[in-house]
Amino acid sequence: MIKQKCIEAGVGAQNRKKILQAAEKCFAQYGFKGTAVQKIADEAALPKTNVLYYFKSKQELYVAVLEETLSLWNSHFDKATVDDDPAEVLADYIAEKMEVSRSHPLASRIFAMEIINGAENLSGYFDEEHGLWMKGRLAVIDGWKAANKLPDVDGEHLLYTIWASTQHYADFSAQITRLRGKKMVKADYEHATRELIKLVLGGCGLAVPTRYAGDIV
């Protein structure tokens, strides 16, 4: 009996994963309004009833995809303190954001479209949690400035710059491909990551950590 329940739980987790992956692809291609539950079911190769068993509505599934995207953006920067080296923390943060843009571009595009359309599907919980995160990270940046670890840069705009530059590689990948004449591969992302770290840290008067001066492993 216990074994059977474990098997059912495993199947449920696999189906949920398949549904979320299919939904991510559909929402990125057709948007929220243009995506039907049946379209997601077809993409996941599951009956529509299965999709609605795990997610009661298209709205619930869409919010789940948005929440998955936010979890992807969790980083070491979330737990950084004033005692940490800002060059190390910011370089790692840029590298982590770039890796998500490389590995999960669809998730980034869905989130971008949601924000552009007024963020109506993001709950008050998100606003509160995101606001607390922002307040905490700005406090750390201000602490670095007070400790003379960082010049007098505006922390808010520093974060906006990092988000805009790193997420650009996911949200506007089609533009980049057209301009370059080919898609970016992993080595291209590694080079872009080093360049962004050099640009951002250089603008903050910080030295680039040694591990980002050469090839990223």
Side-chain angles (χ1 to χ4, degrees):
M1 187 66 175
I2 294 176
K3 183 178 180 181
Q4 180 62 31
K5 288 184 177 180
C6 289
I7 292 174
E8 291 175 356
V11 172
Q14 290 176 2
N15 284 343
R16 183 182 172 86
K17 182 178 180 180
K18 285 176 64 176
I19 293 168
L20 285 171
Q21 290 175 336
E24 181 181 84
K25 184 175 180 180
C26 292
F27 286 136
Q29 185 173 356
Y30 305 108
F32 177 73
K33 292 183 179 179
T35 297
V37 174
Q38 185 62 59
K39 190 173 293 184
I40 295 171
D42 293 342
E43 181 66 33
L46 291 170
K48 180 179 177 180
T49 53
N50 277 37
V51 174
L52 293 175
Y53 173 79
Y54 295 101
F55 302 94
K56 303 306 179 186
S57 65
K58 182 175 76 168
Q59 174 77 20
E60 182 178 319
L61 180 51
Y62 183 66
V63 171
V65 171
L66 290 175
E67 289 175 349
E68 286 280 315
T69 302
L70 292 173
S71 69
L72 288 172
W73 285 334
N74 290 340
S75 71
H76 290 97
F77 183 41
D78 299 353
K79 298 180 180 179
T81 70
V82 175
D83 296 328
D84 293 320
D85 181 349
E88 296 282 346
V89 172
L90 294 175
D92 284 346
Y93 186 46
I94 292 169
E96 289 169 346
K97 292 279 291 177
M98 281 294 284
E99 175 56 23
V100 173
S101 285
R102 184 190 73 81
S103 60
H104 294 82
L106 297 183
S108 181
R109 289 174 210 160
I110 293 169
F111 188 83
M113 286 192 295
E114 174 65 19
I115 295 298
I116 289 171
N117 289 321
E120 294 180 358
N121 294 287
L122 288 173
S123 65
Y125 171 78
F126 163 80
D127 291 338
E128 181 179 351
E129 289 296 305
H130 202 52
L132 288 173
W133 181 92
M134 187 72 166
K135 184 178 180 180
R137 296 313 85 201
L138 292 179
V140 171
I141 293 172
D142 288 341
W144 285 336
K145 291 190 291 186
N148 295 317
K149 292 183 176 181
L150 188 68
D152 188 19
V153 297
D154 189 311
E156 180 182 353
H157 296 292
L158 171 60
L159 293 179
Y160 293 159
T161 297
I162 292 174
W163 298 344
S165 58
T166 56
Q167 289 165 222
H168 176 89
Y169 288 88
D171 303 341
F172 292 89
S173 61
Q175 180 188 51
I176 293 173
T177 297
R178 284 179 176 272
L179 291 173
R180 301 180 78 248
K182 58 182 180 180
K183 289 185 177 181
M184 290 180 66
V185 297
K186 187 175 181 180
D188 297 321
Y189 277 94
E190 291 173 350
H191 175 70
T193 298
R194 293 194 298 273
E195 289 300 305
L196 287 183
I197 289 172
K198 180 168 41 174
L199 288 167
V200 174
L201 267 60
C204 294
L206 299 172
V208 176
T210 304
R211 66 181 178 283
Y212 292 114
D215 291 336
I216 298 175
V217 179

